[in-house]
């Protein structure tokens, strides 16, 4: 889950200024001889930066024996920046990143295996299924602390006017119902053009893989015996991709012009009534709340489910935000104790509120401030229990397959340039050749 990159106000200034200092960040001892740990934070929203800094200050006040220095980073190019810092021996001690990076950095020997360092309270605070998002080859390379479902954000006025039933988490739409409703809400010619939905697909691979789970597919599979990664694209794997293609090319209930856009880029059209619904990451609610015209009536709805998925179709893949410890850190146990502090239930709630995302802790997900119906918070918290590890997690070679094979192939397919058979050939044939090179 690579966070979107629009930055505003104080957070923007801090992130840009902080990104340049990443390579010089390295834990050391202060002049008094007290160990100092550098904490690289990728928080960027004003509320999130404030919450993180406040927690660091609280830790430092309560733990004079180990001090933590807050280092502001940016999601832009963090993977390459971290790789450079690892190889240059200047890595931060405590690293805020996302699950998708743990495979490369863990297998590369840059991150500490936290398995034997995690206190019992921290291990029990987070559900076992969520720990699976940070485990690779039996090692735990990060503590997942924030996660994000994809939801539907809808123009309530348009849906109510059309007599559409508004779903909830207990009674979601199926994908078929979603397609039917999008056709009904679309209007072309004779006035203002309107689409039932829009699919911003600037990052088509993660969306396709994570939402394939709603139909019982995965696209990326791992053989439990050999550990070999295999690309498949059977009917369950391709069902979501085929739906998007139908909406764009056949039903015309989603515009092709949105395929190259990011989530924030389609919001002006949403506010103008051009799109009735948008499938977006949960945290986009913050941007919508800030930018929506006065009296614009929007509502958060659960993502539709696949009718043939074995788990009821509610599962979707996620790459959570994580806190890791550099293998080069000289005070690994102290670093884990800081992570334990940051992920205590009240602190998880603070961080979740600042980032507009569900926390991973079971108790934090039940906190009254996060289960309110206001701004759709309760919908996201209820969906969080269905989140599972993205099919991309733990797959060595995924970045190369994604960049060189899957991204261009999916872009061509969604735009109508190639057929489903051609897409399958590119993803499977060419993709398996890439993953074969990463076998141990």
């Amino acid at each position: 889950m690579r966070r979107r990159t629009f930055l505003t106000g104080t957070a923007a200034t801090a992130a840009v200024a902080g990104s340049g200092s990443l390579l010089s960040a390295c834990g050391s001892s202060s002049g008094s001889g007290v160990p100092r740990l550098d904490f690289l934070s990728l928080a960027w929203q004003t509320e999130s930066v404030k919450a993180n800094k406040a927690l660091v200050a609280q830790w430092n006040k309560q733990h004079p024996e180990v001090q933590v220095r807050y280092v502001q980073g940016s999601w832009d190019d963090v993977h390459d920046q971290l790789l450079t810092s690892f190889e240059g021996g200047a890595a931060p001690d405590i690293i805020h990143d996302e699950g998708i990076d743990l495979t490369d950095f863990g297998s590369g020997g840059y991150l500490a295996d936290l398995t034997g360092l995690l206190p019992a309270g921290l291990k029990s605070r987070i559900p076992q299924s969520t720990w699976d998002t940070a485990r690779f080859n039996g090692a735990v390379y990060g503590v997942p602390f924030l996660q994000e479902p994809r939801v539907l954000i809808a123009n309530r006025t348009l849906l109510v006017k059309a007599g559409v039933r508004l779903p909830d988490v207990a009674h979601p739409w199926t994908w078929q119902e979603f397609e039917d409703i999008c056709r009904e809400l679309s209007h072309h010619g004779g006035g203002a053009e309107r689409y039932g939905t829009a699919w911003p697909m600037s990052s088509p691979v993660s969306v396709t893989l994570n939402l394939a789970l709603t139909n019982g597919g995965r696209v990326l599979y791992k053989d439990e015996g050999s550990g070999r990664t295999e690309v498949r694209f059977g009917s369950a794997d391709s069902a979501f991709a085929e739906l998007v293609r139908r909406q764009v090319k056949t039903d015309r209930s989603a515009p092709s012009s949105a395929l190259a856009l990011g989530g924030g880029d389609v919001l002006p059209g949403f506010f103008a009534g051009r799109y009735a619904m948008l499938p977006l990451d949960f945290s986009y609610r913050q941007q919508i709340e800030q930018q929506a015209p006065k009296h614009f009536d929007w509502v958060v709805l659960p993502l539709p489910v696949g009718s043939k998925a074995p788990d009821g179709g509610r599962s979707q893949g996620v790459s959570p935000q994580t806190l890791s410890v550099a293998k080069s850190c000289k005070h690994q146990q102290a670093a884990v104790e800081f992570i334990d502090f940051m992920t205590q239930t009240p602190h998880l709630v603070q961080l979740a509120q600042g980032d507009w995302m569900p926390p991973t802790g079971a108790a934090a997900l039940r906190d009254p401030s996060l289960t309110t119906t206001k701004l759709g918070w309760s919908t996201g918290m209820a969906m969080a229990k269905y989140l599972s590890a993205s099919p991309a997690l733990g797959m060595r070679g995924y970045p190369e397959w994604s960049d060189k094979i899957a991204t261009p192939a999916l872009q061509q397919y969604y735009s109508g340039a190639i057929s489903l058979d051609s897409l399958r050939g590119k993803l499977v044939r060419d993709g398996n050749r890439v993953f074969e090179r990463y076998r141990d």
Side-chain angles (χ1 to χ4, degrees):
M1 176 197 62
R2 183 70 67 204
R3 291 305 305 274
R4 55 192 193 279
T5 56
F6 84 94
L7 298 173
T8 57
T10 304
T13 303
V16 173
S19 62
S21 65
L22 171 59
L23 301 184
S24 61
C26 185
S28 61
S29 295
S30 64
S32 64
V34 174
R36 186 188 71 193
L37 301 175
D38 285 335
F39 166 42
L40 172 69
S41 171
L42 302 181
W44 60 274
Q45 300 193 72
T46 301
E47 304 99 314
S48 183
V49 172
K50 182 178 179 180
N52 276 270
K53 287 185 174 180
L55 289 173
V56 169
Q58 184 178 338
W59 164 274
N60 286 334
K61 184 177 180 179
Q62 296 176 359
H63 298 82
E65 73 283 0
V66 178
Q67 295 289 281
V68 172
R69 182 170 72 110
Y70 182 94
V71 178
Q72 183 66 64
S74 168
W75 285 104
D76 294 337
D77 300 321
V78 67
H79 180 95
D80 293 339
Q81 291 181 20
L82 280 171
L83 184 59
T84 301
S85 70
F86 284 134
E87 294 180 343
D93 299 284
I94 303 156
I95 300 166
H96 175 190
D97 200 359
E98 67 164 324
I100 205 72
D101 276 344
L102 300 185
T103 302
D104 281 354
F105 292 152
S107 62
Y110 300 123
L111 298 178
D113 179 4
L114 306 182
T115 303
L117 299 174
L118 297 171
L122 174 52
K123 288 191 286 187
S124 64
R125 195 178 303 145
I126 298 172
Q128 186 60 44
S129 59
T130 306
W131 281 113
D132 290 341
T133 64
R135 185 176 288 107
F136 172 66
N137 280 353
V140 175
Y141 291 113
V143 175
F145 71 107
L146 293 176
Q147 55 192 342
E148 185 164 30
R150 186 164 288 249
V151 296
L152 292 178
I153 299 181
N155 183 323
R156 193 200 314 255
T157 301
L158 292 178
L159 269 61
V160 170
K161 185 178 180 180
V164 173
R165 173 186 73 86
L166 298 185
D168 56 30
V169 177
H171 304 93
W173 290 332
T174 64
W175 280 118
Q176 184 60 62
E177 288 177 299
F178 174 71
E179 287 190 80
D180 294 341
I181 291 167
C182 285
R183 282 194 297 269
E184 181 181 349
L185 293 171
S186 298
H187 175 79
H188 304 288
E193 188 173 50
R194 186 175 72 211
Y195 294 89
T197 192
W199 287 100
M201 285 283 188
S202 59
S203 300
V205 183
S206 61
V207 178
T208 303
L209 265 60
N210 290 336
L211 298 194
L213 269 65
T214 65
N215 290 294
R218 290 188 58 85
V219 184
L220 297 182
Y221 296 80
K222 177 164 286 191
D223 182 88
E224 295 299 329
S226 66
R228 175 184 178 184
T229 299
E230 182 180 357
V231 187
R232 305 175 196 164
F233 210 56
S235 58
D237 305 301
S238 66
F240 169 74
E242 291 181 72
L243 177 148
V244 175
R245 167 77 170 244
R246 279 196 304 273
Q247 291 196 303
V248 173
K249 302 304 294 184
T250 305
D251 298 342
R252 294 186 63 210
S253 59
S256 60
S257 58
L259 293 173
L261 304 179
D265 300 324
V266 295
L267 292 183
F270 178 58
F271 298 147
R274 180 174 169 80
Y275 319 122
M277 294 180 283
L278 294 175
L280 293 174
D281 287 338
F282 189 61
S283 61
Y284 273 100
R285 297 170 305 122
Q286 186 246 18
Q287 193 173 352
I288 293 171
E289 174 67 9
Q290 290 183 345
Q291 299 179 7
K294 190 175 182 180
H295 305 307
F296 183 80
D297 189 12
W298 57 280
V299 62
V300 179
L301 307 175
L303 197 75
V305 300
S307 59
K308 297 181 180 179
D311 60 356
R314 286 177 169 81
S315 179
Q316 54 176 288
V318 65
S319 174
Q321 293 190 28
T322 57
L323 294 172
S324 300
V325 177
K327 194 169 185 178
S328 60
C329 176
K330 298 178 180 179
H331 307 281
Q332 292 183 6
Q333 188 64 63
V336 171
E337 290 173 4
F338 174 74
I339 293 175
D340 180 38
F341 169 82
M342 291 289 285
T343 56
Q344 291 174 9
T345 297
H347 302 161
L348 275 179
V349 172
Q350 285 180 256
L351 296 173
Q353 290 171 329
D355 248 328
W356 290 64
M357 297 170 64
T360 57
L365 284 167
R366 298 191 297 267
D367 189 275
S369 67
L370 299 181
T371 54
T372 174
T373 58
K374 185 178 180 180
L375 301 176
W377 275 104
S378 58
T379 298
M381 299 310 110
M383 293 181 65
K385 63 183 176 182
Y386 300 113
L387 298 178
S388 59
S390 169
L393 296 179
M395 303 296 188
R396 292 189 61 198
Y398 169 77
E400 181 180 350
W401 175 77
S402 175
D403 292 344
K404 295 182 179 180
I405 305 296
T407 293
L410 285 168
Q411 287 173 337
Q412 290 177 312
Y413 175 71
Y414 286 136
S415 68
I418 62 174
S419 67
L420 181 64
D421 286 341
S422 295
L423 173 65
R424 181 176 290 110
K426 291 175 181 291
L427 294 180
V428 177
R429 180 191 62 243
D430 299 343
N432 282 327
R433 290 172 180 166
V434 169
F435 284 113
E436 187 69 21
R437 295 202 301 271
Y438 288 85
R439 291 187 65 185
D440 293 331

